[in-house]
mmCIF file of all heavy atoms in Angstrom:
data_model
loop_
_atom_site.group_PDB
_atom_site.id
_atom_site.type_symbol
_atom_site.label_atom_id
_atom_site.label_comp_id
_atom_site.label_asym_id
_atom_site.label_seq_id
_atom_site.Cartn_x
_atom_site.Cartn_y
_atom_site.Cartn_z
ATOM 1 N N PRO A 887 90.711 97.977 83.768
ATOM 2 C CA PRO A 887 92.037 97.374 83.594
ATOM 3 C C PRO A 887 93.186 98.140 84.246
ATOM 4 O O PRO A 887 94.148 97.539 84.718
ATOM 5 C CB PRO A 887 92.205 97.353 82.063
ATOM 6 C CG PRO A 887 90.805 97.292 81.546
ATOM 7 C CD PRO A 887 89.974 98.093 82.510
ATOM 8 N N ALA A 888 93.074 99.476 84.313
ATOM 9 C CA ALA A 888 94.182 100.254 84.892
ATOM 10 C C ALA A 888 94.292 100.066 86.403
ATOM 11 O O ALA A 888 95.334 100.343 86.981
ATOM 12 C CB ALA A 888 93.981 101.733 84.577
ATOM 13 N N TYR A 889 93.210 99.624 87.029
ATOM 14 C CA TYR A 889 93.235 99.461 88.487
ATOM 15 C C TYR A 889 93.709 98.053 88.798
ATOM 16 O O TYR A 889 92.974 97.218 89.318
ATOM 17 C CB TYR A 889 91.874 99.779 89.097
ATOM 18 C CG TYR A 889 91.491 101.240 88.969
ATOM 19 C CD1 TYR A 889 92.302 102.128 88.264
ATOM 20 C CD2 TYR A 889 90.349 101.747 89.546
ATOM 21 C CE1 TYR A 889 91.985 103.464 88.130
ATOM 22 C CE2 TYR A 889 90.011 103.087 89.426
ATOM 23 C CZ TYR A 889 90.839 103.942 88.701
ATOM 24 O OH TYR A 889 90.509 105.267 88.567
ATOM 25 N N ILE A 890 94.972 97.816 88.434
ATOM 26 C CA ILE A 890 95.537 96.474 88.596
ATOM 27 C C ILE A 890 95.432 96.054 90.060
ATOM 28 O O ILE A 890 95.513 96.869 90.965
ATOM 29 C CB ILE A 890 97.003 96.398 88.092
ATOM 30 C CG1 ILE A 890 97.869 97.471 88.764
ATOM 31 C CG2 ILE A 890 97.073 96.502 86.578
ATOM 32 C CD1 ILE A 890 99.361 97.296 88.507
ATOM 33 N N LEU A 891 95.247 94.735 90.208
ATOM 34 C CA LEU A 891 95.144 94.111 91.534
ATOM 35 C C LEU A 891 93.825 94.422 92.259
ATOM 36 O O LEU A 891 93.655 94.068 93.424
ATOM 37 C CB LEU A 891 96.323 94.483 92.445
ATOM 38 C CG LEU A 891 97.627 93.678 92.326
ATOM 39 C CD1 LEU A 891 98.167 93.559 90.916
ATOM 40 C CD2 LEU A 891 98.688 94.238 93.262
ATOM 41 N N SER A 892 92.897 95.156 91.619
ATOM 42 C CA SER A 892 91.586 95.306 92.255
ATOM 43 C C SER A 892 90.796 94.032 91.983
ATOM 44 O O SER A 892 91.012 93.365 90.968
ATOM 45 C CB SER A 892 90.842 96.538 91.728
ATOM 46 O OG SER A 892 90.620 96.462 90.338
ATOM 47 N N GLU A 893 89.905 93.690 92.884
ATOM 48 C CA GLU A 893 89.210 92.390 92.811
ATOM 49 C C GLU A 893 87.752 92.530 93.206
ATOM 50 O O GLU A 893 87.392 93.395 94.005
ATOM 51 C CB GLU A 893 89.831 91.412 93.812
ATOM 52 C CG GLU A 893 91.287 91.133 93.635
ATOM 53 C CD GLU A 893 91.867 90.230 94.729
ATOM 54 O OE1 GLU A 893 91.238 90.051 95.788
ATOM 55 O OE2 GLU A 893 92.971 89.705 94.514
ATOM 56 N N THR A 894 86.931 91.606 92.728
ATOM 57 C CA THR A 894 85.574 91.461 93.251
ATOM 58 C C THR A 894 85.685 90.853 94.641
ATOM 59 O O THR A 894 86.383 89.858 94.835
ATOM 60 C CB THR A 894 84.755 90.504 92.356
ATOM 61 O OG1 THR A 894 84.673 91.076 91.056
ATOM 62 C CG2 THR A 894 83.369 90.260 92.910
ATOM 63 N N ILE A 895 85.018 91.480 95.594
ATOM 64 C CA ILE A 895 85.065 90.994 96.982
ATOM 65 C C ILE A 895 83.691 90.416 97.331
ATOM 66 O O ILE A 895 82.675 91.121 97.246
ATOM 67 C CB ILE A 895 85.377 92.166 97.948
ATOM 68 C CG1 ILE A 895 86.671 92.888 97.549
ATOM 69 C CG2 ILE A 895 85.431 91.666 99.387
ATOM 70 C CD1 ILE A 895 87.950 92.140 97.775
ATOM 71 N N THR A 896 83.673 89.158 97.731
ATOM 72 C CA THR A 896 82.397 88.498 98.001
ATOM 73 C C THR A 896 82.266 88.128 99.479
ATOM 74 O O THR A 896 83.172 88.340 100.281
ATOM 75 C CB THR A 896 82.272 87.189 97.192
ATOM 76 O OG1 THR A 896 83.245 86.256 97.711
ATOM 77 C CG2 THR A 896 82.474 87.421 95.711
ATOM 78 N N LEU A 897 81.139 87.461 99.765
ATOM 79 C CA LEU A 897 80.921 86.951 101.120
ATOM 80 C C LEU A 897 82.075 86.042 101.549
ATOM 81 O O LEU A 897 82.467 86.038 102.721
ATOM 82 C CB LEU A 897 79.590 86.180 101.156
ATOM 83 C CG LEU A 897 79.220 85.610 102.515
ATOM 84 C CD1 LEU A 897 78.906 86.699 103.525
ATOM 85 C CD2 LEU A 897 78.039 84.638 102.404
ATOM 86 N N ARG A 898 82.626 85.275 100.615
ATOM 87 C CA ARG A 898 83.752 84.390 100.955
ATOM 88 C C ARG A 898 84.910 85.184 101.566
ATOM 89 O O ARG A 898 85.523 84.746 102.548
ATOM 90 C CB ARG A 898 84.228 83.662 99.688
ATOM 91 C CG ARG A 898 85.448 82.777 99.908
ATOM 92 C CD ARG A 898 85.789 81.961 98.669
ATOM 93 N NE ARG A 898 86.144 82.783 97.504
ATOM 94 C CZ ARG A 898 86.514 82.299 96.311
ATOM 95 N NH1 ARG A 898 86.556 80.988 96.116
ATOM 96 N NH2 ARG A 898 86.809 83.106 95.310
ATOM 97 N N ASP A 899 85.190 86.351 101.024
ATOM 98 C CA ASP A 899 86.300 87.161 101.545
ATOM 99 C C ASP A 899 85.951 87.767 102.910
ATOM 100 O O ASP A 899 86.834 87.980 103.734
ATOM 101 C CB ASP A 899 86.657 88.261 100.534
ATOM 102 C CG ASP A 899 86.943 87.654 99.167
ATOM 103 O OD1 ASP A 899 87.814 86.784 99.079
ATOM 104 O OD2 ASP A 899 86.233 88.005 98.204
ATOM 105 N N ALA A 900 84.652 88.019 103.121
ATOM 106 C CA ALA A 900 84.231 88.518 104.433
ATOM 107 C C ALA A 900 84.411 87.412 105.482
ATOM 108 O O ALA A 900 84.885 87.672 106.597
ATOM 109 C CB ALA A 900 82.774 88.970 104.385
ATOM 110 N N ILE A 901 84.057 86.193 105.127
ATOM 111 C CA ILE A 901 84.240 85.057 106.052
ATOM 112 C C ILE A 901 85.733 84.904 106.346
ATOM 113 O O ILE A 901 86.142 84.705 107.496
ATOM 114 C CB ILE A 901 83.670 83.759 105.430
ATOM 115 C CG1 ILE A 901 82.157 83.900 105.191
ATOM 116 C CG2 ILE A 901 84.007 82.538 106.267
ATOM 117 C CD1 ILE A 901 81.289 83.812 106.406
ATOM 118 N N HIS A 902 86.552 85.005 105.307
ATOM 119 C CA HIS A 902 88.013 84.926 105.472
ATOM 120 C C HIS A 902 88.506 86.026 106.434
ATOM 121 O O HIS A 902 89.391 85.794 107.258
ATOM 122 C CB HIS A 902 88.670 85.079 104.093
ATOM 123 C CG HIS A 902 90.166 85.034 104.106
ATOM 124 N ND1 HIS A 902 90.943 86.077 104.587
ATOM 125 C CD2 HIS A 902 91.047 84.099 103.692
ATOM 126 C CE1 HIS A 902 92.216 85.768 104.471
ATOM 127 N NE2 HIS A 902 92.320 84.573 103.927
ATOM 128 N N THR A 903 87.915 87.202 106.339
ATOM 129 C CA THR A 903 88.307 88.310 107.225
ATOM 130 C C THR A 903 87.989 87.973 108.677
ATOM 131 O O THR A 903 88.803 88.219 109.580
ATOM 132 C CB THR A 903 87.562 89.602 106.803
ATOM 133 O OG1 THR A 903 87.749 89.798 105.400
ATOM 134 C CG2 THR A 903 88.071 90.807 107.551
#
Side-chain angles (χ1 to χ4, degrees):
Y889 293 5
I890 54 170
L891 276 52
S892 60
E893 301 176 344
T894 298
I895 305 289
T896 68
L897 181 68
R898 177 174 62 178
D899 306 304
I901 298 285
H902 179 287
T903 309

